[in-house]
Amino acid sequence: MVQVKEWLYAHSNNFISGAILSIFSYFSPVKGILIVAFAAILLDLITGIIAARIRGEGIKSKKLYKTGIKIGCVSAIILMTFAIDEEIPLIELHKIVAWLIVGFELWSILENMAQITDHPVFKFLQRFMKDKIEKASEIDVEKE
């Protein structure tokens, strides 16, 4: 019994690394989607900081902390919907969820860029996106 315990102790790193690599391998097809989502979140953070400076607002660590939480939550929801899609193949739900997340981040980036530059192209893009969303969903974006 002592030999088994010593063997397990000596090889526990192999079991742990094997389990971690198996998980990474399972989720590797969504690597690109996660990178795009992370990039959108980070670009929103950067443009939000610049826009806050322009408005004369300070940068709060609470908001930076929330960005970290957002990255964790976005990762979890994309990975979970991917797992559902893999095990119950009906639609590619993870891609729909990722597009929604990136779309909301893009909306926020456009708002920030409109404040930063005051350029009409960003205001036009916001109106264009708003019209497309309202036409496709029949929901008034301003009321929601």
Side-chain angles (χ1 to χ4, degrees), residues 56-86:
E57 298 174 4
I59 299 168
K60 299 177 183 169
S61 62
K62 182 179 180 183
K63 288 189 178 184
L64 292 173
Y65 176 76
K66 282 187 170 186
T67 299
I69 297 296
K70 184 194 302 187
I71 287 173
C73 291
V74 164
S75 299
I77 195 70
I78 290 173
L79 294 175
M80 188 65 217
T81 54
F82 172 76
I84 291 169
D85 289 341
E86 283 294 300

Side-chain angles (χ1 to χ4, degrees), residues 16-32:
I16 293 168
S17 61
I20 291 170
L21 289 175
S22 295
I23 292 168
F24 282 150
S25 170
Y26 180 79
F27 289 114
S28 66
V30 292
K31 174 182 64 173

